[in-house]
Amino acid sequence: MTFIATRSNMKSLLLTEYNHLEIADLPLPDIGPDEVLVRVEACGICGSDVHGYDGSSGRRIPPIVMGHEAAGTVAATGANVRGYAKGDRVTFDSTVYCGVCAYCARGDVNLCDNRQVIGVSCGDYRRNGAFAEYVAVPQRILYHLPAGISFAEAAMLEAASVALHAVNISEAGGSETALVVGAGMIGLLTFQAAAAAGCKRIFVADIDPSRLERARQIGAEQTILAGADLAEKVRGLTGGQGVDAVFEAVGMNETVAAAIDSVRRGGTVTLIGNIAPEVKLPLQKVVTRQIRLQGSCASAGEYPQAIEFIAAGRIRVGPLITAVAALEEGPRWFERLHSREPDLMKVILTPRPTESQ
Ligand SMILES: [Zn+2]
Ligand SMILES: [Zn+2]
């Protein structure tokens, strides 16, 4: 330790039982030799936190401090940590990978055999997260945050990395035509990631006109109000062919079917959304039209690219932030997100509402 905290307790937002969050005093996290203590400035509420909150995912077994989309400054460093000093602005990947399994060796760290996520407690492990004044994270997943990115914007890096990973894994960069199905947060980031990767004409489709309006605000020139005729509209706009690449950011029967019907023969449909655990697969269409279905999960090394793109303004996350609120307002925001109040995108909590942002 190069720094001894002057306090022994910290404020945290604790899930004490399912559907119940409260502000609690917890001991400051201990850090191991390879870990860094981060003084949290901002932490986004992830969809997975909302699904954990009510117990439906089984991955936030109380008591747990959730939160893995965070940024802050270095408060203390473990004995083996190099390259980080107290006060450095940092952010971190949500996935703690082992670095030694066969998947990690291939660079597929999102598929790591021993993968853990910050702010998750499941049958196998428990790691408190960043809805607190401090969080301990391994140096392996830490990144320096350039001055041009605010802490709140940095809380969007995980989502931006998910979008970049989907585009990278689809090998669709530079496509003449692409379609993003679903103009929610991940869809809008995927649109921007596809544009940054050189896709030329990108259609963004959603059933909600207000979401399409937001898509236009962040630069989508071709939006499609989706209905049962989505694929027909897409083919109409592409000389009857369909697009080279589809990014499906919803994950239900109708949208997956529309994605498959909207891609050209030999094209790729990248599946990011997964609201439904199962969908119907139009097998013969996929086989005879030689369509590539590509699943995409989390990210694997896209953080530096996401940091670079956000710093350069090539991916704009500001319009996707619904609110930056005090940690104390966390319980109310979780309720609002859980009740699926319309038009909420990213909600970011900060333990220091007066000082930061
Ligand atoms: Zn997340
Ligand atoms: Zn591993």
Side-chain angles (χ1 to χ4, degrees):
M1 294 263 291
T2 56
F3 162 76
I4 306 297
T6 50
R7 309 163 47 187
S8 54
N9 279 346
M10 66 168 186
K11 181 171 64 178
S12 70
L13 181 67
L14 185 67
L15 185 72
T16 54
E17 55 186 292
Y18 288 129
N19 298 306
H20 186 81
L21 285 162
E22 56 186 54
I23 295 291
D25 238 17
L26 288 183
L28 277 186
D30 287 327
I31 53 169
D34 299 311
E35 289 187 320
V36 169
L37 187 67
V38 176
R39 183 180 191 259
V40 179
E41 295 287 349
C43 182
I45 301 178
C46 182
S48 66
D49 293 324
V50 180
H51 295 305
Y53 165 75
D54 66 5
S56 57
S57 73
R59 290 184 49 81
R60 304 291 191 280
I61 300 169
I64 178 77
V65 176
M66 302 187 281
H68 57 261
E69 303 179 346
T73 57
V74 173
T77 52
N80 299 339
V81 172
R82 298 288 175 268
Y84 290 93
K86 192 186 165 195
D88 284 359
R89 300 172 87 245
V90 289
T91 185
F92 49 86
D93 197 335
S94 55
T95 298
V96 183
Y97 54 92
C98 75
V100 294
C101 75
Y103 290 100
C104 284
R106 277 198 291 265
D108 296 331
V109 298
N110 54 333
L111 308 178
C112 169
D113 274 336
N114 306 298
R115 176 177 190 262
Q116 297 190 350
V117 179
I118 303 276
V120 165
S121 55
C122 51
D124 301 331
Y125 66 91
R126 166 182 304 272
R127 261 183 187 274
N128 271 346
F131 290 134
E133 288 181 279
Y134 294 89
V135 62
V137 296
Q139 178 185 354
R140 180 182 301 146
I141 62 168
L142 206 65
Y143 296 94
H144 283 286
L145 190 65
I149 302 184
S150 73
F151 291 117
E153 287 173 325
M156 301 290 292
L157 279 165
E158 186 201 47
S161 299
V162 167
L164 286 165
H165 183 66
V167 172
N168 289 344
I169 201 172
S170 71
E171 297 165 359
S175 294
E176 285 301 317
T177 52
L179 166 69
V180 177
V181 180
M185 191 181 56
I186 294 294
L188 293 181
L189 288 166
T190 302
F191 156 71
Q192 297 186 76
C199 291
K200 296 181 183 71
R201 273 177 88 196
I202 309 169
F203 306 101
V204 177
D206 201 286
I207 53 172
D208 180 347
S210 69
R211 288 182 165 213
L212 294 180
E213 180 54 43
R214 189 178 286 115
R216 286 189 287 271
Q217 282 166 16
I218 58 163
E221 286 170 10
Q222 314 218 37
T223 57
I224 303 174
L225 188 60
D229 59 347
L230 171 58
E232 209 177 302
K233 285 181 176 167
V234 172
R235 285 196 302 270
L237 290 161
T238 51
Q241 290 297 309
V243 292
D244 297 325
V246 181
F247 300 96
E248 208 284 346
V250 182
M252 45 197 264
N253 254 327
E254 297 80 353
T255 51
V256 172
I260 290 170
D261 282 340
S262 298
V263 81
R264 67 162 169 79
R265 291 189 301 281
T268 296
V269 175
T270 301
L271 303 167
I272 315 165
N274 59 109
I275 292 177
E278 292 183 10
V279 296
K280 247 173 100 176
L281 177 69
L283 179 66
Q284 291 183 342
K285 267 184 204 164
V286 172
V287 172
T288 60
R289 301 172 65 230
Q290 199 171 296
I291 292 165
R292 176 175 162 226
L293 296 181
Q294 171 69 59
S296 182
C297 176
S299 65
E302 277 84 6
Y303 266 68
Q305 192 184 22
I307 289 170
E308 185 193 319
F309 281 10
I310 292 176
R314 295 177 71 186
I315 291 184
R316 288 172 56 212
V317 295
L320 308 180
I321 299 174
T322 299
V324 180
L327 196 62
E328 286 79 357
E329 293 173 41
R332 190 175 61 89
W333 279 108
F334 264 87
E335 267 173 45
R336 292 178 67 178
L337 290 161
H338 187 251
S339 66
R340 294 178 173 276
E341 203 177 289
D343 221 30
L344 296 182
M345 294 240 165
K346 185 60 75 184
V347 174
I348 293 167
L349 300 180
T350 171
R352 274 168 265 280
T354 51
E355 297 169 39
S356 58
Q357 318 312 331

